[in-house]
Amino acid sequence: MAVASGDLTRSGDLRITELTAGDWPLFERLLGPNGLQGGCWCAWYRMSSRQYRETGPDEHKAHVRDEVRAGKPLGLLGILDDEPVAWVAVSPRLDNPRLATSRVAALPDDDPTDVWSVTCFYVHRRARGQGIAAAMLRAATRHAFDRGARVVEGYPVDGSKKRPAGELYHGTIEMFSAAGFDLTARRDTVRALMRISAR
């Protein structure tokens, strides 16, 4: 899977590829030695609340690595000029047990089967401000539909007010709207459930 650099403000092409066991070293390099957000390693949604709470960064990393080795879909890497610069977590909703108890992600009255979730974005500081997160969202949506998703959903924040970068890892309502997602429910003054259906 590859995306041209049409939305980027610098030269070079953004190559977007599914995370596989062979690409694990790139994922490690992008997230750094601490795995972001206090050692999350993008395991927050992949583990139950209790399981996550009772383990630490090493176990979070091992859990995600084991799932990648097992061939489970977890997300996409963005590579620019041969360096990993971005990540988007996109996978079947049912593979993310924490969503089942999330107030923000509470389901409409339908079957979660064939629903995929976009739960997290990360763009390295050296590559921000170039439209990369938006490109990652579009690629994640196509990827999910190509893998059989009936619906793709996300849980973005309201980006109309300036927020610290650490609060933007869900993406913004504005970015999801520009990618064709519809506002399904406004959960509070900050977060929303947004969805797009297969055409």
Side-chain angles (χ1 to χ4, degrees):
M1 178 186 300
V3 174
S5 58
D7 289 340
L8 305 180
T9 58
R10 55 172 285 183
S11 62
D13 289 336
L14 178 66
R15 180 170 63 88
I16 300 177
T17 185
E18 183 176 11
L19 175 62
T20 64
D23 290 320
W24 179 261
L26 294 175
F27 184 70
E28 281 189 303
R29 196 155 83 219
L30 176 63
L31 269 59
N34 298 320
L36 302 180
Q37 296 287 347
C40 176
W41 285 101
C42 220
W44 174 263
Y45 288 103
R46 310 288 303 188
M47 304 170 81
S48 70
S49 178
R50 179 177 179 179
Q51 185 182 16
Y52 188 91
R53 185 175 62 250
E54 293 180 352
T55 54
D58 289 343
E59 290 86 359
H60 302 160
K61 180 179 180 180
H63 180 86
V64 173
R65 184 175 58 233
D66 288 347
E67 292 200 314
V68 171
R69 287 175 175 170
K72 285 193 171 184
L74 269 82
L76 308 177
L77 285 167
I79 300 167
L80 190 64
D81 298 335
D82 297 322
E83 282 295 317
V85 298
W87 164 252
V88 59
V90 56
S91 61
R93 181 186 170 107
L94 293 175
D95 287 351
N96 295 276
R98 192 180 290 258
L99 291 176
T101 59
S102 168
R103 179 180 58 82
V104 173
L107 277 171
D109 294 328
D110 68 355
D111 187 341
T113 305
D114 300 330
V115 175
W116 280 49
S117 298
V118 178
T119 56
C120 182
F121 294 84
Y122 174 66
V123 178
H124 194 279
R125 60 182 177 274
R126 67 177 177 268
R128 292 173 190 162
Q130 303 179 51
I132 288 178
M136 297 297 289
L137 175 57
R138 291 194 302 273
T141 304
R142 288 197 305 272
H143 174 71
F145 287 145
D146 287 347
R147 296 286 293 267
R150 171 178 53 86
V151 170
V152 180
E153 64 182 23
Y155 323 101
V157 300
D158 185 344
S160 62
K161 295 181 180 180
K162 187 172 178 61
R163 300 186 184 281
E167 293 182 10
L168 298 175
Y169 66 92
H170 295 291
T172 66
I173 291 173
E174 296 76 10
M175 183 175 74
F176 275 79
S177 180
F181 284 70
D182 296 319
L183 182 63
T184 302
R186 191 67 182 257
R187 300 307 193 186
D188 52 34
T189 59
V190 178
R191 300 282 299 285
L193 170 65
M194 300 189 72
R195 291 182 137 201
I196 187 171
S197 298
R199 303 294 188 237

